[in-house]
């Protein structure tokens, strides 16, 4: 596929994925009471964490590969099969535990366990198509998922339980999963299936999973923790605000996950870093523009989006908008580091993600939900500054020392 077509298909696919993500949460907010949306948000947050874990373990090492030889095609097939099997085992465990726990949240988590193989399997196929440089196949699958999700949620009535909404959302991804499986099977026909390398100690996904755990999951789980020990509506308030920035969330994740195959087409390292810096500026400007649009949104339109959750979410827009602008810069900085030397990102993730959690807790103690939102923003600013300082140091140092693991030097198979 020609470079321009590949870029257009990849951007369109990320846009469709972003639209699906925000429409799911908007539909849930409109169909739920404030309390039910808080429960749905908590369960969806658990899914978001699991999605990031699987993406870090199987997807991100996959997209650092180059070429479409037999070993790469085999790695794509193996990643998809591994994800479905692991998600099935994890989902069964989650369902079994929640079966013994009363309450609406536990029932929704039980349903989440049942649909995990569907939603995680379909997402891993997107990484495989990106690695194979066939983003048009991912676009076709995500378009089908968008249509199915919208159709299924449009049939629900106000007051639907969180468990029902999770079931409808998860099962509506089944047609997209079947399409992805068929397309991936066709693209990797004859390639070997090897699951054992994904379990080896040296698998790069282990490092990326740790990075995700301290970089993303830590702050999300800390929100859940503050909601449990403090104000339960904190989760719904913060989730409602971030729902409005749902497209940017997907774009940031996509930049890290699907950026390497596209930026890898640029031959010179210096040019790749410049392109990444340009992407950072573009995403930060997009975040600022989107925050401005939301701030100017009439109250009636806001309630159409988030229902009863709109007032508390709207109050957090200045802090959340600033946070997302900083996140754009930091995400692209991590992408640049990932291409220069993947080993350098872990320390930054550990230090500054834990710092963000501390800012979140301190902000909540000082200023409640508003303080928590500004605490998250401050943490994102610090992480963004640290990533680009590290990029500048690596560029001054020159090529990575012998034996370093870089995107250009990754082996053909783990």
């Amino acid at each position: 596929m020609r470079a321009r077509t590949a870029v257009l298909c990849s951007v369109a696919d990320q846009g469709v994925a972003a639209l699906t993500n925000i429409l799911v949460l908007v539909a849930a907010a409109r169909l739920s009471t404030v309390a039910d949306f808080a429960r749905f948000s908590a369960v969806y947050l658990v899914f978001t964490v699991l999605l990031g874990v699987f993406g870090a373990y199987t997807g991100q090492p996959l997209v650092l590969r180059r070429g479409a030889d037999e070993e790469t095609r085999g790695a794509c097939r193996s990643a998809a099969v591994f994800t479905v099997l692991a998600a099935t085992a994890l989902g069964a465990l989650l369902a079994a535990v929640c079966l013994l726990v009363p309450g609406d949240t536990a029932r929704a988590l039980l349903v989440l366990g049942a649909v995990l193989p569907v939603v995680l399997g379909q997402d891993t196929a997107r990484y495989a198509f990106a690695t194979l440089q066939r983003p048009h196949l991912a676009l076709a699958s995500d378009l089908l998922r968008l249509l199915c999700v919208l159709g299924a949620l449009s049939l629900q009535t106000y007051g639907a339980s969180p468990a029902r909404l999770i079931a409808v959302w998860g099962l509506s991804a089944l047609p997209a999963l079947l399409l992805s499986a068929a397309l991936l099977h066709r693209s990797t026909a004859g390639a070997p299936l090897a699951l054992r390398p994904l379990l080896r100690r040296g698998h790069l996904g282990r490092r990326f999973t740790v990075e995700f755990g301290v970089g993303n999951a830590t702050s999300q789980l800390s929100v859940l923790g503050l909601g449990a020990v403090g104000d339960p509506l904190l989760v719904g308030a913060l989730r409602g605000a971030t729902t409005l920035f749902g497209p940017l969330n997907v774009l940031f994740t996509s930049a890290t996950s699907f950026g390497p195959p596209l930026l890898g087409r640029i031959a010179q390292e210096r040019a790749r870093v410049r392109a990444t810096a340009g992407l950072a500026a573009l995403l930060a400007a997009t975040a600022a523009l989107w925050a401005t649009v939301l701030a100017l949104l009439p109250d009636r339109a806001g309630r159409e989006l988030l229902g009863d959750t709109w007032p508390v979410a709207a109050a957090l827009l200045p802090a959340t908008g600033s946070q997302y602008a900083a996140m754009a810069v930091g995400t692209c900085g991590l992408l640049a580091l990932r291409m220069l030397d993947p080993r350098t990102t872990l320390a930054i993730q550990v230090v500054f993600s834990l710092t963000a959690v501390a800012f979140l807790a301190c902000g909540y103690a000082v200023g409640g939900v508003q303080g928590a939102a500004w605490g998250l923003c401050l943490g994102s600013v610090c992480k963004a500054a640290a990533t680009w300082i590290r990029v500048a140091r690596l560029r001054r140092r020159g090529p990575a020392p012998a034996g370093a693991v870089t995107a250009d030097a990754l082996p053909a198979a783990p």
Side-chain angles (χ1 to χ4, degrees):
M1 177 177 289
R2 300 176 66 176
R4 180 175 298 180
T5 304
V7 170
L8 289 176
C9 287
S10 182
V11 171
D13 178 53
Q14 307 319 317
V16 170
L19 183 61
T20 303
N21 180 65
I22 190 171
L23 288 180
V24 166
L25 290 167
V26 166
R30 296 187 63 183
L31 292 169
S32 307
T33 63
V34 175
D36 278 346
F37 182 66
R39 296 187 187 97
F40 178 89
S41 298
V43 176
Y44 200 83
L45 197 56
V46 173
F47 160 72
T48 302
V49 171
L50 294 176
L51 181 69
V53 168
F54 276 83
Y57 194 89
T58 60
Q60 292 182 22
L62 198 60
V63 297
L64 289 178
R65 294 172 175 271
R66 292 190 176 184
D69 55 17
E70 184 175 333
E71 290 189 1
T72 298
R73 290 186 289 111
C76 291
R77 170 177 285 195
S78 301
V81 172
F82 175 85
T83 297
V84 172
L85 293 177
T88 300
L90 181 61
L93 178 61
L94 178 62
V97 171
C98 292
L99 188 63
L100 306 176
V101 180
D104 291 339
T105 302
R107 283 193 292 271
L109 285 171
L110 187 153
V111 175
L112 176 63
V115 301
L116 267 184
V118 178
V119 291
L120 293 181
Q122 195 265 339
D123 187 74
T124 298
R126 299 176 64 232
Y127 288 93
F129 292 138
T131 303
L132 297 170
Q133 297 185 3
R134 297 182 180 180
H136 59 290
L137 300 182
L139 177 59
S141 175
D142 282 335
L143 280 172
L144 177 60
R145 181 176 184 182
L146 173 61
L147 293 175
C148 292
V149 167
L150 289 181
L153 290 176
S154 66
L155 298 176
Q156 308 309 305
T157 58
Y158 181 80
S161 68
R164 180 181 179 86
L165 293 178
I166 290 292
V168 170
W169 158 77
L171 293 177
S172 65
L174 186 57
L177 173 64
L178 296 177
L179 176 62
S180 296
L183 294 174
L184 185 59
H185 176 73
R186 182 178 180 180
S187 301
T188 60
L193 181 66
L195 302 181
R196 187 170 297 178
L198 290 165
L199 299 173
R200 288 177 182 167
R201 185 174 183 179
H203 180 50
L204 194 58
R206 295 193 175 192
R207 173 180 288 271
F208 293 163
T209 301
V210 173
E211 289 188 27
F212 171 80
V214 297
N216 297 82
T218 300
S219 60
Q220 292 174 348
L221 292 176
S222 65
V223 171
L224 287 176
L226 284 179
V229 301
D231 185 358
L233 297 182
L234 170 69
V235 178
L238 290 178
R239 192 60 181 173
T242 56
T243 294
L244 298 172
F245 292 85
L248 294 177
N249 261 331
V250 177
L251 288 177
F252 294 166
T253 302
S254 299
T256 302
S257 302
F258 303 102
L262 297 177
L263 293 171
R265 295 172 180 264
I266 302 175
Q268 295 184 345
E269 179 182 275
R270 184 176 181 181
R272 287 201 297 268
V273 173
R274 284 184 174 179
T276 309
L279 178 62
L282 177 62
L283 289 179
T286 302
L289 178 61
W290 185 245
T292 302
V293 170
L294 292 174
L296 297 175
L297 203 63
D299 184 69
R300 181 176 180 180
R303 288 184 178 275
E304 286 294 319
L305 283 174
L306 292 182
D308 295 338
T309 307
W310 167 253
V312 291
L316 301 181
L317 282 178
T320 306
S322 301
Q323 178 194 0
Y324 271 82
M327 285 172 60
V329 179
T331 297
C332 292
L334 290 174
L335 173 59
L337 289 177
R338 186 67 58 83
M339 292 186 297
L340 290 171
D341 186 351
R343 301 179 306 172
T344 60
T345 56
L346 180 57
I348 290 176
Q349 292 278 38
V350 171
V351 173
F352 289 96
S353 295
L354 294 178
T355 300
V357 172
F359 287 151
L360 167 69
C362 292
Y364 180 71
V366 173
V369 177
Q370 279 280 355
W374 281 111
L376 288 174
C377 175
L378 182 57
S380 296
V381 169
C382 292
K383 182 186 288 189
T387 56
W388 283 101
I389 290 173
R390 185 60 174 163
V391 168
R393 289 178 177 175
L394 284 178
R395 290 291 300 124
R396 286 198 300 267
R397 189 185 69 182
V405 181
T406 66
D408 293 330
L410 283 175

